[in-house]
Amino acid sequence: MAQIAAGATATPKMQMSPERAHEVVQMTQRIRQNFPELNAVPDEQLIYATWRSFKRIDQTSDSDYHKMANVFFREFDRHLLHYQFSKAGEDDVVRHRFFAIITDLFQ
């Protein structure tokens, strides 16, 4: 029983295509460059949050850059920074920063 409970809380394995893996690495590097607020976040957490964001985007099949930026904002604000951006009232500014990275990455 203890093994089942422990397995249920384990981090899911990051599975993705080679193309998506390349995008995750590029996006993570650009996030690292453009978000000094995330300097204290370990690389593993940053990569995982980036992967989760892309996974959510893939599940919706939505390629609108504004919606993609919103997905990244929610993932990073909620799970990595525990609403630090929202509490500071920086929602729009941070969404625009994600949007700029996404547009640069995919164009």
Side-chain angles (χ1 to χ4, degrees):
M1 183 74 149
Q3 291 175 344
I4 293 171
T9 60
T11 303
K13 185 177 179 182
M14 292 190 299
Q15 297 178 345
M16 63 194 106
S17 69
E19 295 83 15
R20 178 58 83 202
H22 181 72
E23 291 170 350
V24 167
V25 168
Q26 283 188 318
M27 185 72 178
T28 302
Q29 290 171 340
R30 291 186 182 162
I31 289 169
R32 185 64 82 193
Q33 293 168 354
N34 292 288
F35 284 90
E37 305 92 337
L38 298 172
N39 283 343
V41 176
D43 288 339
E44 298 80 28
Q45 286 182 332
L46 196 64
I47 291 168
Y48 183 68
T50 304
W51 171 75
R52 278 179 48 124
S53 298
F54 275 122
K55 185 175 178 183
R56 291 183 198 288
I57 291 165
D58 290 343
Q59 290 171 345
T60 64
S61 299
D62 197 342
S63 60
D64 177 69
Y65 292 165
H66 288 287
K67 290 180 182 176
M68 290 171 72
N70 286 336
V71 169
F72 274 93
F73 170 78
R74 282 192 307 271
E75 177 66 31
F76 280 76
D77 188 45
R78 182 180 304 155
H79 296 289
L80 278 185
L81 298 175
H82 307 289
Y83 299 99
Q84 180 180 328
F85 290 136
S86 296
K87 289 176 185 175
E90 297 178 353
D91 305 42
D92 289 337
V93 172
V94 173
R95 281 187 181 99
H96 284 100
R97 287 164 65 190
F98 276 118
F99 178 80
I101 294 169
I102 290 166
T103 5
D104 185 47
L105 183 67
F106 291 116
Q107 288 187 359

